[in-house]
Amino acid sequence: MKGTVNRMEVILPMIRFLDRSSLGAHVPHRKNTRESSTAVMPVPQKIVLMMSQHIGAPANPVVSKGDKVYVGTLVGEAQGAVSANIHSGVSGTVAEITEMIASNGSMQKAVVITPDGEQTVDPSIQPPKVTDFNSFIEAVRQSGLVGLGGAGFPAAVKLSPKNLDGVDTLLINGAECEPYITSDHREFMERSGDILDGIKAVMKYLNLKQAIIGIEKNKPEAIALMRQKIDTPSITVKVLPSRYPQGAEKTLVESCTKKEVPKGGLPADVGVIVMNVTSVSFLSRYLKTGMPLTKKRLTVDGDIVKEPKNVEVIVGTPFSELIDFCGGLTSEPVKAVQGGPMMGVCLFDLSYPVLKLNNALLVFGEKLGHLPKPSPCIRCGRCINGCPMGLSPVEIASAYQRENKEELAALQIDLCMECGTCTFVCPAKRPVTQTMKLAKEYMKKGGNA
Amino acid sequence: MAQNLIVSPSPHIVHKDNTRQIMLDVCLALMPALIASVLIFGYRAFMLTAVTVAAAVVFEYLYRKLMKKESSIGDCSAIVTGLLLAYNLPPTLPFWMAIIGAFIAIVIVKQLFGGIGFNFANPAIVGRIVLALSFTAKMTTYSYPDNGIDAFTSATPLAAAEDPSAYLTLFLGNHGGVLGETSVLALLIGGVYLVIRKVISPVLPITYVATVAVMSLLCGHDPLYQILSGGLMLGAIFMATDYTTSPFTRKGKLAAGIFLGVVTCLIRFFGNSAEGVSFAILLMNIILPYINRLTRQKALGGGKAK
């Protein structure tokens, strides 16, 4: 029997080696701001609260022009099951309720608030009364918490999966695999106590057996600190390889638990709930104070930002004011990205406001703002060996070009998470990820372009 | 604040490697073999290589010019093709024959099918095979080493009687044969460089060579002799690993390596041609779409792609 086990230990990794390389990409780290402790940005001239700062239905404004609001006042109310509340981070007056183009191109309602500078806290703010699972989920819903790693999925929905009985593991995502961003790293360094309290609260109310904190090995200080602070054997730190996209949900689940999230499924299907480290840390503070999510730490970096640093900013602050707080720019901006350089979304206007789910602002000048010109595909297969999902981008691109629906379905384009690895590794500099997005959209529409 | 911001889909950074860099790495990896061939066969080996490379680059330039397409000699892939073709020629081959080979490789096999990334077979392999079939006598006139060091006095060692005391000679390459394939040591240095630089994966060459060894044992031939002689090392390290004409996945590379090893041995042991490696690689190139289709990766959580 023992011999069989040993043989399997040799054979299984070999099968895994041949089945899927999933090498990901060795992206440059550029974590220039890792030592930069969070600077608190003063109250801005105005805040603009977009009503869609999460995945799901936009919130509905519950204030009107001229209303007085306070810090923590509910401004937008969640609509439907998958949605999230939006609160004011300033005390002041509602200047207008308007419509703006969101960075995805759609029109969104937005509430503009002129701060009075007093930062008076809403008198109704008090710690939530949490006694059991239902009151816990209700508190999370009220807090307006969304996935702060960048996806913005409403936390209350994530924490109440259909098969809660089958879930036993809380996985805390502290991989932070995107270049530049150190915002989660600072959360570890500055609020380790809150993180552990939050983990314990989630474990208590969801009745979970264990928690694993996944941290990429390029953050040794965070790993050491968390290992030192952990005071219970049910919470462990998992050191992850420094390889993009280590923090992608399915990749993280596989790295930490060796389980594969099935196609179309959720981590809960394999007994895991994944939460971002900053999210869980916020949750513990909300349970103590009742102050909803109105502030966010952003890493401001890029080759033309004068003073790259981590900034705690009130949600809704225009990016242009955030840049001014970081000393301004050394030259004309060519590209501005909210989020990391691998998956971040371009800003078309620097007056655009900070969203809850943002974790970075990157501003690039002439040197880094342009990408090299594409050349013909040499079929080297780097996109295939890099793809964390084990897909075949080069074959998908060719099937998409031929509008071959059957082939695209067989190649499982629907599994693509658009992480950007294929474009990053392509030596011919082809926009592979963009083609994957187009192919995915094409299939979603039933194969009609 | 200026607002002429570029809005483009993510990602916003890319890796520094590019096609040209990869091709230059391959050229660099081929240099030890060139030096070895000059030491073994004399300066004419260098002259023949220079003529073949120049012809390949000129044909690539002229074709793109004539077809009013953007010039592609900047990606340096024509240099690689020229080098590989030259390494497959006997050092004594007349220059004009080498130029015909370069024409077939670059114009017929590569550019007529759409240029880099679209060739159905390895251009240098087809160039060699066409020359071997057209000018059989000249292509099989294997010259002897030109440096006075004691060496094989037979034709290519594969066709010669097996001599167990000659492994070192085979390894160093001081024997008759085509220009770039004799020195296993020089080719291995290049291969290790390519693997370290992550230009090629070692899966295919290792499987290919291992399969030849196993097949030789099964068929009662000396495995070490089979590995060290003929064009196996050049083919396994540099020709069969050509991106466009080799499988994408590890599984595919493994399958192709086994296929190549089996076909090479069948031709060597049961055929009467010295072109075992060339024909094996050409055959692999032709069935490549099927290999790729049958050896796709298993997607994470998604089962096997069909």
Side-chain angles (χ1 to χ4, degrees):
Chain A
M1 197 62 204
K2 198 165 175 254
T4 322
V5 171
N6 285 341
R7 211 172 303 147
M8 288 312 282
E9 276 170 5
V10 177
I11 293 169
L12 284 177
M14 276 176 67
I15 293 175
R16 171 70 179 72
F17 176 84
L18 289 174
D19 265 349
R20 184 171 67 243
S21 21
S22 296
L23 295 175
H26 287 282
V27 296
H29 297 309
R30 298 187 190 161
K31 305 266 188 192
N32 314 317
T33 51
R34 61 186 309 144
E35 304 289 335
S36 147
S37 46
T38 314
V40 178
M41 183 175 160
V43 179
Q45 302 286 319
K46 66 165 186 181
I47 66 167
V48 181
L49 293 170
M50 300 287 286
M51 288 294 111
S52 183
Q53 306 196 15
H54 47 260
I55 289 178
N60 195 39
V62 291
V63 291
S64 37
K65 189 176 173 179
D67 281 6
K68 183 91 183 114
V69 294
Y70 302 97
V71 179
T73 304
L74 183 70
V75 170
E77 191 173 29
Q79 296 293 304
V82 182
S83 187
N85 286 341
I86 289 161
H87 304 83
S88 172
V90 296
S91 62
T93 318
V94 176
E96 62 174 331
I97 294 173
T98 176
E99 288 212 322
M100 292 182 59
I101 303 175
S103 56
N104 66 3
S106 67
M107 288 300 278
Q108 297 287 345
K109 280 187 186 156
V111 175
V112 183
I113 298 169
T114 311
D116 59 13
E118 303 287 329
Q119 288 303 83
T120 320
V121 173
D122 193 302
S124 69
I125 297 286
Q126 54 177 356
K129 289 185 182 62
V130 175
T131 51
D132 59 357
F133 173 72
N134 288 330
S135 53
F136 175 70
I137 293 297
E138 185 52 30
V140 176
R141 200 182 309 280
Q142 292 304 325
S143 75
L145 177 60
V146 299
L148 298 181
F153 191 75
V157 183
K158 180 176 257 185
L159 290 176
S160 46
K162 289 194 192 90
N163 64 331
L164 187 60
D165 293 343
V167 177
D168 59 3
T169 304
L170 174 65
L171 194 50
I172 299 301
N173 191 350
E176 202 158 54
C177 53
E178 282 260 16
Y180 292 101
I181 309 180
T182 58
S183 138
D184 283 347
H185 173 66
R186 293 316 305 175
E187 192 76 25
F188 278 123
M189 300 313 288
E190 294 168 22
R191 285 166 168 171
S192 53
D194 288 351
I195 295 170
L196 289 176
D197 290 349
I199 292 172
K200 286 172 188 163
V202 175
M203 286 172 75
K204 180 180 167 193
Y205 293 111
L206 271 68
N207 193 24
L208 305 179
K209 283 210 302 279
Q210 59 159 347
I212 304 170
I213 308 174
I215 309 176
E216 265 195 17
K217 69 171 180 222
N218 67 357
K219 290 177 267 293
E221 308 94 326
I223 294 166
L225 180 67
M226 291 317 290
R227 283 200 164 140
Q228 181 204 328
K229 295 267 177 174
I230 288 171
D231 50 6
T232 157
S234 57
I235 305 177
T236 48
V237 173
K238 167 87 182 169
V239 180
L240 302 167
S242 247
R243 189 197 71 189
Y244 182 86
Q246 192 57 63
E249 198 167 65
K250 290 180 176 179
T251 310
L252 185 74
V253 170
E254 201 196 20
S255 300
C256 293
T257 68
K258 302 225 181 343
K259 290 175 190 161
E260 284 190 34
V261 179
K263 184 174 176 176
L266 294 169
D269 294 331
V270 289
V272 180
I273 285 182
V274 183
M275 274 186 93
N276 169 266
V277 55
T278 303
S279 301
V280 82
S281 169
F282 161 80
L283 194 55
S284 78
R285 284 192 298 283
Y286 178 75
L287 294 176
K288 283 170 209 159
T289 63
M291 176 55 75
L293 181 61
T294 60
K295 293 181 206 163
K296 188 68 205 287
R297 180 192 299 104
L298 265 72
T299 300
V300 184
D301 202 343
D303 58 342
I304 58 165
V305 174
K306 266 200 192 124
E307 301 158 18
K309 56 180 152 189
N310 282 299
V311 183
E312 185 179 82
V313 56
I314 294 167
V315 172
T317 301
F319 280 113
S320 49
E321 288 198 38
L322 179 57
I323 293 171
D324 291 342
F325 180 71
C326 295
L329 303 173
T330 56
S331 69
E332 286 293 302
V334 170
K335 192 186 251 186
V337 179
Q338 45 176 339
M342 291 300 287
M343 284 191 83
V345 178
C346 280
L347 289 169
F348 49 82
D349 192 329
L350 291 177
S351 65
Y352 197 79
V354 171
L355 306 179
K356 284 179 197 175
L357 52 79
N358 289 156
N359 47 18
L361 167 68
L362 305 176
V363 192
F364 298 128
E366 284 295 330
K367 188 164 161 253
L368 296 178
H370 301 280
L371 290 178
K373 204 171 131 250
S375 59
C377 169
I378 55 173
R379 301 172 72 80
C380 63
R382 290 186 186 199
C383 51
I384 296 176
N385 287 308
C387 180
M389 296 303 294
L391 304 179
S392 184
V394 53
E395 291 177 287
I396 291 171
S398 139
Y400 173 65
Q401 204 174 19
R402 288 179 279 119
E403 300 191 355
N404 187 336
K405 277 180 260 181
E406 292 75 25
E407 186 79 354
L408 283 173
L411 289 164
Q412 310 190 79
I413 176 64
D414 50 335
L415 277 171
C416 173
M417 57 180 173
E418 304 169 14
C419 65
T421 301
C422 45
T423 297
F424 178 83
V425 298
C426 181
K429 310 296 161 203
R430 301 181 70 76
V432 195
T433 311
Q434 188 182 8
T435 311
M436 296 306 105
K437 289 180 191 178
L438 289 168
K440 210 166 130 184
E441 201 57 32
Y442 171 76
M443 289 302 278
K444 260 188 204 160
K445 289 177 180 162
N448 303 306
Chain B
M1 203 170 278
Q3 298 287 286
N4 286 327
L5 296 172
I6 293 178
V7 175
S8 63
S10 58
H12 309 290
I13 49 169
V14 292
H15 196 270
K16 60 183 190 318
D17 273 7
N18 56 38
T19 306
R20 180 192 168 90
Q21 181 60 47
I22 290 171
M23 295 302 160
L24 288 176
D25 265 341
V26 177
C27 291
L28 196 59
L30 283 165
M31 284 307 115
L34 182 62
I35 294 167
S37 77
V38 173
L39 292 177
I40 297 164
F41 299 111
Y43 81 101
R44 198 173 188 287
F46 179 78
M47 291 304 293
L48 185 64
T49 307
V51 167
T52 318
V53 170
V57 174
V58 167
F59 282 132
E60 173 124 339
Y61 176 79
L62 288 180
Y63 179 88
R64 303 291 288 195
K65 189 94 180 162
L66 209 64
M67 293 295 143
K68 298 190 170 53
K69 288 179 177 170
E70 197 182 347
S71 174
S72 58
I73 54 170
D75 64 27
C76 298
S77 63
I79 300 178
V80 173
T81 304
L83 281 172
L84 286 175
L85 178 63
Y87 286 15
N88 276 287
L89 306 174
T92 49
L93 194 79
F95 290 151
W96 65 269
M97 287 186 188
I99 293 170
I100 290 178
F103 177 83
I104 289 160
I106 293 293
V107 178
I108 310 279
V109 185
K110 187 179 171 195
Q111 290 298 340
L112 281 185
F113 285 86
I116 188 168
F118 294 97
N119 46 296
F120 75 97
N122 187 320
I125 288 278
V126 180
R128 168 180 176 156
I129 289 174
V130 170
L131 289 181
L133 295 177
S134 314
F135 311 108
T136 314
K138 286 280 185 199
M139 281 294 284
T140 49
T141 308
Y142 299 120
S143 48
Y144 308 117
D146 189 30
N147 52 15
I149 302 170
D150 187 35
F152 280 109
T153 48
S154 57
T156 179
L158 248 187
E162 295 178 13
D163 178 1
S165 67
Y167 292 139
L168 187 65
T169 311
L170 281 169
F171 185 67
L172 296 175
N174 197 28
H175 57 81
V178 301
L179 196 151
E181 71 183 20
T182 58
S183 176
V184 173
L185 174 66
L187 293 167
L188 276 179
I189 293 172
V192 169
Y193 174 77
L194 288 183
V195 170
I196 290 173
R197 292 279 294 160
K198 296 198 170 145
V199 172
I200 62 167
S201 146
V203 174
L204 194 153
I206 290 174
T207 328
Y208 189 178
V209 173
T211 308
V212 167
V214 171
M215 282 287 288
S216 304
L217 275 175
L218 290 178
C219 298
H221 289 265
D222 177 3
L224 201 52
Y225 182 83
Q226 290 296 331
I227 290 171
L228 295 176
S229 59
L232 180 63
M233 282 296 164
L234 180 64
I237 297 172
F238 291 100
M239 316 278 278
T241 55
D242 168 50
Y243 286 151
T244 309
T245 57
S246 70
F248 292 131
T249 62
R250 285 172 177 164
K251 230 186 286 181
K253 290 179 166 84
L254 187 82
I258 295 170
F259 175 86
L260 287 168
V262 170
V263 175
T264 302
C265 287
L266 289 180
I267 296 176
R268 278 188 179 181
F269 302 155
F270 302 105
N272 57 2
S273 163
E275 304 286 335
V277 171
S278 304
F279 280 114
I281 293 175
L282 181 62
L283 205 54
M284 186 273 281
N285 292 167
I286 291 169
I287 64 162
L288 179 66
Y290 300 97
I291 302 181
N292 274 336
R293 177 171 286 265
L294 293 172
T295 56
R296 282 178 184 154
Q297 302 192 92
K298 185 184 164 295
L300 198 157
K304 193 180 156 63
K306 292 191 180 64

